[in-house]
Amino acid sequence: MHRLVAAGLTAALAAALAVGAAFGIVAMLDATPEQPNTPLVTYETAQRER
């Protein structure tokens, strides 16, 4: 009986950890980045003569 209770508690703890990790990953993906979304490479365009 002791092993059955230990196995049940282990399974419940593992499930709770998996749910917490899933919520944490979703929260990280929904977070806005701290830096602005600017391109690393920009190309200058030649200005036309008038």
Side-chain angles (χ1 to χ4, degrees):
M1 186 68 178
H2 179 64
R3 287 187 181 186
L4 183 60
V5 172
L9 287 176
T10 302
L13 181 64
L17 183 63
V19 169
F23 278 117
I25 290 171
V26 169
M28 281 192 328
L29 291 175
D30 284 341
T32 57
E34 294 179 6
Q35 61 187 15
N37 189 12
T38 56
L40 295 176
V41 178
T42 57
Y43 297 99
E44 295 182 13
T45 57
Q47 294 182 359
R48 297 181 184 174
E49 293 182 14
R50 293 185 178 195

